[in-house]
């Protein structure tokens, strides 16, 4: 293998031009936490490394018209701690804060975890439950796609080799919504997830469910959302029996992977357990926000 | 595309590219294979052996270095991509006259190690945390220590040293406890 050339482009356009010129044989580098290991293990042998570190404008977090914009170079630590993310997307803040360990979170980026599309990841499930959209720039300009269309399989996205993820747009949760991200690890506390579940619940004052979103990560090729099951829970109270029915539906319909973190049988069991726990946690959080709001209204 | 050469590094006949680093306050230029890790470059090219190779895959913390104020894993970082950056290793915490900065000094005093393979990683993690937050609480210290594994199990002494330098509560004086036990 000949040694790759190293590039530090200064704009997104320059980076795209380089990727295009190398025609699929160049690799972008953001935090480098995944790519460095792949290179050491010789799983990839690119002809060029294109670092995004000197491209300005990809590292910001802002809110615009009720949508939180996370730049592709925002690190996991920054995303987990940012006031806007914690206030409007608490379930994402939690998922980013539970990734690996502090050194990994300090380097790993929002764009990197999405482009990598490793099934055993935390943030993608949370971003899917939040209906995030991925923005990418390529030779033909910018396109925007729902994360459900972006993540298509094991380590697979719809990103073309010459496209760059620039941003993720995430609609802020309404203040009355409750949410939770629960990560189940089966080997060590700092391991990648065996199963991770993101849940969002919004209910009326009388307990009628108005919105339910459940995304199961790390259990199959890409995070799983069953929109028909979610919709089925809306309009009636989200009592324990209803939560259990949702958990059962996810456990029955997931096509679980078997790997070092658990067999397919074990994963299916864990999907049932952790969907139940995550929806319960989100429901509790929603009850708190509604109570707070009601008390706020009385005062 | 601009043809500013600082933006492009083409490998030479040996497949190496130049990289300029500020290592512990000293400007260094080295030639590395483009995919070589920073850990490797520090140990092999610069003969700085304070950062250790433990797992090689980002899970043990033995290879921790501080790059531009951030504690990161040297095994997850490519040296060629650190061009122009400031790198601090545990060697940089010792002054010319041999005086240690407060963190390694506390680790020594508390004998917060047995084999010491993990020590430079813990020390640098705490150094970086204190630089960002001079008064961290214990949760922040524990978060900074996530991903740091001490196979010898010196965690209680490590925490005692850390609590002392971070000014958290009254650190348990392990040496005093031992003296009492021996008496
Ligand atoms: C020890 C360890 C523990 C971990 N634990 C967890 C865990 O518990 N949970 C979890 O979710 N993840 C975990 N991870 C995975 C980690 O989160 C990913 O490695 C990281 O998110 C990748 O981001 P990066 O910026 O470092 O990507 P890089 O390594 O820089 O890039 C990864 C891939 O994405 C491409 N890429 C990067 N940025 C872009 C972009 N903007 N546009 C297009 N393509 C791009 C690169 O070309 C490359 O193919 C762990 C990793 C390690 C090493
Ligand atoms: S050697 Fe880098 S984290 Fe273990
Ligand atoms: S002192 Fe031996 S690994 Fe920590």
């Amino acid at each position: 293998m000949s040694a790759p050339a190293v590039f530090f482009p200064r704009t997104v356009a320059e980076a795209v031009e380089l990727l295009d010129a190398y025609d699929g044989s160049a690799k972008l580098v953001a935090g480098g936490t995944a790519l460095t290991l792949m290179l050491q293990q010789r799983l990839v042998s690119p002809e060029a490394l294109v670092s995004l570190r000197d491209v300005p404008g990809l590292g910001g977090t802002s809110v615009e018209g009720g949508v939180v914009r996370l730049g592709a170079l925002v690190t996991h630590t920054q995303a987990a701690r940012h006031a806007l993310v914690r206030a409007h997307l608490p379930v994402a803040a939690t998922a980013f804060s539970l990734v690996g360990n502090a050194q990994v979170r300090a380097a790993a980026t929002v764009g990197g975890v999405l482009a990598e599309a490793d099934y055993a990841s935390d943030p993608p499930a949370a971003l899917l439950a939040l209906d995030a959209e991925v923005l990418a720039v390529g030779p033909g300009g910018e396109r925007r796609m729902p994360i459900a269309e972006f993540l298509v399989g094991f380590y697979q996205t719809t990103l073309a080799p010459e496209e760059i993820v620039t941003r993720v747009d995430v609609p802020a949760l309404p203040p009355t919504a409750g949410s939770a991200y629960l990560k189940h690890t089966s080997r060590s506390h700092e391991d990648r997830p065996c199963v991770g579940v993101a849940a969002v619940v919004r209910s009326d004052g009388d307990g009628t469910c108005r919105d339910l979103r459940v995304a199961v990560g790390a259990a199959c090729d890409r995070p799983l959302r069953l929109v028909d099951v979610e919709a089925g829970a809306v309009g009636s109270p989200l009592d324990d029996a209803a939560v259990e029915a949702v958990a059962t539906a996810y456990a029955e319909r997931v096509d679980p992977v078997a790997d070092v973190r658990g067999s397919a049988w074990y994963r299916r069991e864990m999907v049932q357990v952790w969907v139940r726990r995550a929806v319960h946690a989100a429901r509790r959080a929603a009850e708190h926000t509604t109570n707070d709001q009601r008390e706020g209204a009385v005062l | 595309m601009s043809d500013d050469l600082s933006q492009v590094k083409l490998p030479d006949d040996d497949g190496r590219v130049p990289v300029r680093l500020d290592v512990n306050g000293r400007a260094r230029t080295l030639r590395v294979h483009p995919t070589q890790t920073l850990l490797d470059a520090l140990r092999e090219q610069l003969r700085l052996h304070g950062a250790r190779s433990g797992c090689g895959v980002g899970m043990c913390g033995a290879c921790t270095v501080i790059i531009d104020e951030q504690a990161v894993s040297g095994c997850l970082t490519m040296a060629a991509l650190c061009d122009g950056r400031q790198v601090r290793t545990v060697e940089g915490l010792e002054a010319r006259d041999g005086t240690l900065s407060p963190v390694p000094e506390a680790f020594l005093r508390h004998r917060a190690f047995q084999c010491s393979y993990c020590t430079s990683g813990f020390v640098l993690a705490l150094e970086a945390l204190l630089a960002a937050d001079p008064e961290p609480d214990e949760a922040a210290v524990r978060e900074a220590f996530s991903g740091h594994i001490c196979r010898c199990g010196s965690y209680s002494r490590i925490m005692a040293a850390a609590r002392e330098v971070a000014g958290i509560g009254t650190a348990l004086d392990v040496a005093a406890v031992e003296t009492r036990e021996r008496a």
Side-chain angles (χ1 to χ4, degrees):
Chain A
M1 181 190 88
S2 66
V6 180
F7 295 92
F8 298 93
R10 305 256 161 92
T11 62
V12 171
E14 272 182 17
V16 168
E17 211 176 310
L18 277 164
L19 295 178
D20 202 23
Y22 274 91
D23 196 18
S25 64
K27 272 282 180 194
L28 276 180
V29 195
T33 60
L35 195 62
T36 305
L37 293 181
M38 285 191 280
L39 288 164
Q40 303 313 308
Q41 294 160 3
R42 298 183 202 274
L43 294 173
V44 289
S45 45
E47 285 171 30
L49 296 172
V50 179
S51 169
L52 287 175
R53 72 163 218 204
D54 293 342
V55 178
L58 298 181
T61 301
S62 60
V63 64
E64 185 82 36
V67 174
V68 179
R69 300 174 163 187
L70 292 171
L73 287 187
V74 170
T75 66
H76 285 32
T77 305
Q78 289 165 343
R81 293 184 182 168
H82 200 287
L84 287 176
V85 183
R86 294 171 69 111
H88 301 302
L89 317 168
V91 56
T94 307
F96 280 112
S97 78
L98 293 176
V99 166
N101 57 55
Q103 290 89 267
V104 168
R105 291 192 294 271
T109 65
V110 169
V113 70
L114 289 175
E116 181 65 8
D118 190 321
Y119 69 97
S121 299
D122 297 291
L127 293 172
L128 179 64
L130 290 166
D131 294 318
E133 285 191 325
V134 180
L135 273 75
V137 173
E142 185 179 80
R143 57 185 189 115
R144 172 190 272 280
M145 59 221 116
I147 191 167
E149 285 166 27
F150 177 83
L151 298 170
V152 287
F154 286 108
Y155 304 95
Q156 265 190 320
T157 68
T158 47
L159 202 64
E162 59 285 345
E163 277 184 315
I164 298 175
V165 173
T166 50
R167 202 171 88 200
V168 182
D169 279 3
V170 200
L173 281 179
T176 51
S179 63
Y181 179 78
L182 299 185
K183 172 175 183 168
H184 169 55
T185 53
S186 52
R187 304 191 303 175
S188 82
H189 176 65
E190 290 165 2
D191 194 15
R192 284 170 173 270
C194 168
V195 168
V197 182
V200 174
V201 171
R202 197 161 49 81
S203 303
D204 280 347
D206 64 1
T208 309
C209 177
R210 282 291 150 227
D211 186 14
L212 173 69
R213 297 182 241 161
V214 178
V216 174
C220 49
D221 61 341
R222 58 185 168 138
L224 175 71
R225 253 185 93 173
L226 299 173
V227 284
D228 56 322
V229 173
E230 295 173 350
V234 170
S236 31
L238 197 56
D239 55 19
D240 290 356
V243 175
E244 202 55 44
V246 170
T248 304
Y250 274 83
E252 277 173 359
R253 284 167 58 183
V254 68
D255 181 12
V257 289
D259 65 8
V260 290
R261 298 183 184 85
S263 65
W265 171 84
Y266 178 74
R267 270 218 168 70
R268 200 184 290 283
E269 297 289 313
M270 289 304 106
V271 167
Q272 173 110 22
V273 170
W274 291 92
V275 167
R276 176 200 304 139
R277 290 184 184 171
V279 178
H280 273 296
R283 187 181 65 184
R284 267 198 308 278
E287 281 161 9
H288 284 302
T289 56
T290 349
N291 289 342
D292 290 351
Q293 299 240 327
R294 244 181 268 130
E295 277 158 30
V298 172
L299 285 174
Chain B
M1 203 178 308
S2 130
D3 43 27
D4 174 353
L5 282 180
S6 70
Q7 287 180 252
V8 188
K9 291 174 186 297
L10 299 175
D12 62 16
D13 292 343
D14 293 334
R16 288 171 189 268
V17 294
V19 46
R20 294 154 307 159
L21 300 174
D22 173 313
V23 182
N24 298 327
R26 218 177 121 195
R28 310 290 298 252
T29 301
L30 42 165
R31 302 191 75 79
V32 299
H33 189 275
T35 64
Q36 194 177 335
T37 64
L38 179 62
L39 173 63
D40 243 37
L42 291 170
R43 292 182 61 88
E44 306 297 325
Q45 260 104 327
L46 295 179
R47 302 268 152 214
L48 290 170
H49 295 141
R52 278 82 184 257
S53 178
C55 64
V57 292
M59 300 199 314
C60 76
C63 64
T64 301
V65 294
I66 299 178
I67 302 179
D68 293 346
E69 327 269 289
Q70 281 287 354
V72 295
S73 292
C75 72
L76 294 181
T77 309
M78 283 178 271
L81 300 182
C82 295
D83 194 49
R85 299 250 139 123
Q86 277 190 8
V87 179
R88 286 176 79 203
T89 68
V90 75
E91 287 88 347
L93 304 182
E94 183 180 1
R96 271 178 190 287
D97 66 359
T99 320
L100 294 178
S101 78
V103 176
E105 202 275 324
F107 270 62
L108 254 187
R109 208 157 14 76
H110 284 264
R111 277 170 288 128
F113 44 79
Q114 289 182 55
C115 76
S116 82
Y117 203 79
C118 66
T119 311
S120 57
F122 277 95
V123 163
L124 289 167
L126 187 56
E127 236 359 276
L129 173 67
L130 291 172
D133 174 5
E135 291 178 3
D137 58 14
E138 183 158 332
V141 172
R142 286 178 183 270
E143 188 188 340
F145 284 166
S146 75
H148 289 266
I149 291 174
C150 173
R151 312 271 174 193
C152 298
S154 300
Y155 295 110
S156 60
R157 285 164 181 271
I158 292 169
M159 281 310 294
R163 290 168 62 100
E164 183 189 288
V165 224
I168 302 168
T170 38
L172 178 68
D173 188 339
V174 182
V177 172
E178 278 177 356
T179 315
R180 204 167 57 220
E181 276 168 1
R182 259 185 246 117

